[in-house]
């Protein structure tokens, strides 16, 4: 009987069971946040807010700063005549749009998510040139998103606040045909991701994109031979394939840059069907959602613990390796 080559079968098992397996190449980006380097991180301005969210982004040190090797993104209140308008909160959104982008690689960051009702922290990637068209046609890679609520549950009673982090790919030929549900993954930990630092990793290759929390894979997307067009079954919609000139991994075969931000509220991140201790001050269908949010601040303001850094999105480091 021939002798089994255990090494061969072990390597084959790794490749089959996790198509994102790659030997790590060289480190091509690293920030340990000893300082907040304006040459690396571009601050989004007040005029670049998402109008369906309840914050505006600033470049002030009050909303983003480095302290003892940790990046803080901190939400603050507007306590003047602007307080009754749609955007009563100030926060920060930082990107490497002008300094660093890459195609395929491994991104890892270590962070502690904030706690406080209706806070929405994220680290994600957007295409540098959007070569296939406007969102979501050129894709979006969400390495980590979460919600700051301590007692938020979905209709099945599952905690979907600080006990949960999620990772998602956005892709589709139109905004109403986003295939994100086919590439969305969540990880729950009842000890809460806001109580300690955790590592979040995305392994992005020409064959697959996988997501990891504390080195545990929580999901992987492997497009078929027909790519994301086939995966989304978009042929039935009688539309031209925007990725026909790309590779199998299109739109995720182009250069992307990094974004770190802390959003607040909004009409997309928090479902009206979920249950929150103290209720939800606004409806996503309301034309005055931001104003309703502000008027209902007695519900959420105390949960932010503003005398502490509980409501801060804390990032220890961000690192990117290429693939060997």
């Amino acid at each position: 009987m021939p002798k089994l080559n255990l090494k061969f079968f072990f390597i084959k098992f790794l490749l089959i069971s996790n198509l994102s397996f790659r030997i790590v190449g060289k480190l091509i980006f690293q920030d340990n946040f000893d300082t907040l380097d304006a040459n690396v991180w571009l601050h989004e301005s007040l005029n670049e807010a998402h109008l369906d969210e309840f914050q505006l982004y600033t470049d002030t040190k009050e909303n983003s700063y480095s302290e003892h090797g940790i990046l803080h993104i901190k939400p603050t209140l507007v306590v003047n005549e602007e307080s009754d308008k749609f955007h009563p909160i100030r926060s920060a959104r930082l990107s490497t749009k002008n300094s660093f982008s890459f195609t395929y690689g491994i991104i890892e960051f270590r962070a502690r998510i904030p706690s406080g009702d209706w806070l929405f922290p994220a680290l994600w990637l957007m295409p540098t040139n959007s070569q296939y068209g406007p969102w979501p046609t050129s894709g979006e890679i969400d390495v980590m998103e979460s919600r700051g609520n301590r007692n938020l549950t979905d209709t099945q009673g599952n905690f979907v606040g600080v006990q949960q982090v999620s990772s998602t790919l956005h892709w589709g030929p139109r905004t109403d045909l986003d295939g994100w549900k086919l590439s969305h993954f969540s990880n729950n930990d009842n000890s809460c991701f806001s109580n300690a630092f955790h590592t979040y990793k995305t392994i992005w290759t020409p064959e697959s994109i996988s997501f990891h929390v504390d080195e545990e894979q929580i999901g992987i997307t492997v497009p078929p031979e027909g790519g994301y067009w086939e995966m989304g079954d978009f042929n039935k919609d009688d539309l031209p394939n925007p990725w026909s000139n790309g590779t199998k991994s299109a739109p995720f075969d182009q250069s992307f840059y990094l974004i770190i931000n802390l959003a607040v509220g909004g009409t997309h991140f928090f479902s009206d069907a979920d249950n929150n201790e103290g209720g939800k001050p606004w409806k996503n269908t309301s034309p005055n959602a931001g104003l309703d949010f502000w008027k209902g601040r007695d519900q959420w303001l105390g949960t932010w613990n503003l005398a502490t850094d509980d409501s801060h999105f804390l990032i220890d480091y961000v690192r990117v390796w290429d693939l060997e």
Side-chain angles (χ1 to χ4, degrees):
M1 185 173 180
K3 191 174 182 180
L4 292 176
N5 187 332
L6 295 179
K7 181 178 180 181
F8 168 79
F9 282 105
F10 175 68
I11 294 175
K12 186 175 181 181
F13 169 77
L14 285 175
L15 291 171
I16 293 174
S17 62
N18 181 355
L19 293 177
S20 65
F21 175 76
R22 280 291 188 280
I23 298 174
V24 177
K26 65 179 180 294
L27 186 68
I28 56 175
F29 178 89
Q30 177 173 230
D31 199 329
N32 296 319
F33 297 109
D34 297 320
T35 62
L36 180 50
D37 191 343
N39 293 317
V40 175
W41 297 101
L42 169 71
H43 279 81
E44 305 283 359
S45 74
L46 294 177
N47 296 325
E48 295 174 298
H50 286 265
L51 296 181
D52 57 354
E53 299 169 10
F54 303 155
Q55 84 291 325
L56 293 178
Y57 293 122
T58 82
D59 59 359
T60 69
K61 291 184 178 179
E62 186 176 18
N63 294 118
S64 57
Y65 58 91
S66 177
E67 183 176 78
H68 306 305
I70 301 293
L71 170 64
H72 292 241
I73 300 183
K74 172 185 175 181
T76 59
L77 311 181
V78 180
V79 286
N80 55 35
E81 69 279 1
E82 295 182 69
S83 298
D84 62 346
K85 296 185 180 179
F86 197 94
H87 304 102
I89 309 298
R90 298 293 180 263
S91 185
R93 171 170 155 164
L94 313 176
S95 84
T96 63
K97 186 174 184 178
N98 295 339
S99 63
F100 172 75
S101 61
F102 68 107
T103 307
Y104 306 129
I106 300 173
I107 174 173
E108 177 182 281
F109 78 105
R110 183 173 182 266
R112 193 195 80 185
I113 69 167
S115 60
D117 284 5
W118 320 120
L119 299 175
F120 193 85
L123 189 145
W124 45 305
L125 283 70
M126 285 293 286
T128 307
N129 297 312
S130 296
Q131 67 184 52
Y132 296 107
W135 189 94
T137 310
S138 288
E140 174 182 323
I141 303 173
D142 297 334
V143 177
M144 189 285 296
E145 295 177 323
S146 189
R147 300 176 182 88
N149 302 57
R150 298 176 183 86
N151 294 290
L152 181 69
T153 56
D154 63 17
T155 54
Q156 286 76 46
N158 302 307
F159 283 105
V160 292
V162 292
Q163 301 86 356
Q164 183 181 88
V165 292
S166 62
S167 304
T168 310
L169 300 178
H170 290 274
W171 45 277
R174 287 193 323 228
T175 55
D176 61 330
L177 292 174
D178 180 3
W180 71 272
K181 290 184 179 179
L182 299 174
S183 50
H184 172 75
F185 311 98
S186 296
N187 185 57
N188 277 57
D189 184 345
N190 288 334
S191 65
C192 300
F193 291 96
S194 59
N195 286 339
F197 282 82
H198 296 266
T199 58
Y200 305 93
K201 179 187 292 184
T202 296
I203 302 177
W204 170 27
T205 82
E207 295 86 21
S208 65
I209 300 177
S210 64
F211 299 101
H212 308 251
V213 177
D214 294 329
E215 299 301 329
E216 178 183 350
Q217 181 176 294
I218 66 170
I220 183 170
T221 299
V222 184
E225 283 306 309
Y228 285 89
W229 183 255
E230 178 184 340
M231 184 173 169
D233 194 23
F234 294 128
N235 282 321
K236 61 182 173 51
D237 297 296
D238 195 29
L239 295 170
N241 181 355
W243 309 309
S244 58
N245 294 324
T247 68
K248 186 180 76 169
S249 62
F252 304 107
D253 59 352
Q254 58 181 312
S255 178
F256 279 68
Y257 63 92
L258 310 175
I259 305 172
I260 308 173
N261 72 293
L262 176 57
V264 180
T267 57
H268 290 93
F269 301 143
F270 298 91
S271 171
D272 288 340
D274 291 344
N275 299 300
N276 185 68
E277 185 176 63
K280 182 169 180 259
W282 79 97
K283 296 289 186 183
N284 291 340
T285 54
S286 170
N288 299 302
L291 177 58
D292 296 339
F293 168 78
W294 180 247
K295 288 180 176 179
R297 59 190 177 277
D298 287 346
Q299 179 275 316
W300 52 264
L301 186 54
T303 71
W304 288 18
N305 294 337
L306 291 177
T308 71
D309 64 4
D310 285 359
S311 63
H312 300 195
F313 188 17
L314 304 179
I315 298 93
D316 182 17
Y317 64 77
V318 180
R319 296 169 186 162
V320 180
W321 297 264
D322 65 7
L323 301 177
E324 190 168 274

